[in-house]
Amino acid sequence: MLRLAGRWVLTAVALVVSVSFLTFVLVDLVPGDAARSVVGLNSTQEQYLQMREAMGLDRPLLERYGDWAWAALHGDFGNSLTNGAAVASQLTTRLSVTVTLVVASLLVATVVGVSLGVAAALQHGFLGRLVDGLALLGLAVPSFWFAYVLVFLFAIETSFFPATGYVTFGSDPAGWARSLVLPVLTLGLTSSAPIAKQTRDGIRSELDKDYVYALRVRGIGERSVIGRHVLRNAAAPVITIMGLVFVGLLSGTVLVETVFVLPGLGSQAVQATMSSDLPLIQAIAVTFTVMVVVVNLLVEFVYVLLNPRVRAG
């Protein structure tokens, strides 16, 4: 188990380094000149060259990446090119919004998906076809389109929830919850379909196995068979799907936070890209990567706990 955990950690570190370097290279290849964006088009050539030197753009790529990586290990991601503020402080203020949005959406997706999946597996017919239809719909419908539908129904037509904006929890807990309802439903409901389908397929597969027949022959109650044995054995692939859903939710925050005007990392990534704020873009990409890696490690750990054969191997 320790050897397996060590291999996971080494893989995670290698992945973070690889993604950070790739992002650094891609950002460097983006059309445009960051130094020119900072000094403006009306600046002199001397001012432009001085800014390139100050930003380190006149040095080799590998040397710049090494300096950036060393500083990032100490929590220093540099300063924003647009406002001069420390990138780390900007990430800290926005990270909580994105984490809250993603975790709440994953909770909604899991509750709705597992509930539908269990019902569809135990009751053949309409519910099975409904889950298949929802899975197809969840993959086909863009999240921003679903967001506009929810805004029209619950913000414009009925005024139940605000269409845009964000309220901090400290200033108004009720307003904070209301400002997150529509974004969470947008991401959570569209992401519940694959979880529902995997849950249904996993339970149906387990119900056809010999141990279920043996438990029923021994007189074990159906609720105990399903709750204590079938669901546990069908949970491992569902956990894996939840990890993939989490990654999809992170990418979905870019659009959803922009639509609902939430001050999270997703909307900040859009703003940083439009303003060619290279330090901020790099820091956001690495932050997303670390979040994905941590969640994947948790998924692997839970999967091993649920599957003794992997732990034994």
Side-chain angles (χ1 to χ4, degrees), residues 247-267:
V247 176
L249 290 174
L250 272 183
S251 62
T253 59
V254 175
L255 287 174
V256 170
E257 288 179 3
T258 302
V259 171
F260 291 101
V261 196
L262 298 179
L265 290 180
S267 58

Side-chain angles (χ1 to χ4, degrees), residues 59-147:
R59 293 185 295 154
L61 178 66
L62 288 178
E63 182 180 340
R64 284 187 283 131
Y65 173 75
D67 292 343
W68 177 88
W70 179 254
L73 286 175
H74 295 81
D76 181 12
F77 291 97
N79 296 326
S80 170
L81 299 182
T82 55
N83 54 28
V87 170
S89 63
Q90 296 186 63
L91 293 181
T92 302
T93 57
R94 288 176 172 259
L95 181 61
S96 60
V97 178
T98 298
V99 170
T100 301
L101 177 60
V102 171
V103 171
S105 300
L106 183 61
L107 180 62
V108 169
T110 302
V111 171
V112 174
V114 171
S115 300
L116 281 176
V118 171
L122 300 180
Q123 300 180 19
H124 300 273
F126 173 74
L127 274 178
R129 293 191 295 271
L130 177 63
V131 170
D132 286 335
L134 288 176
L136 181 61
L137 189 64
L139 296 174
V141 174
S143 58
F144 67 87
W145 180 87
F146 190 55

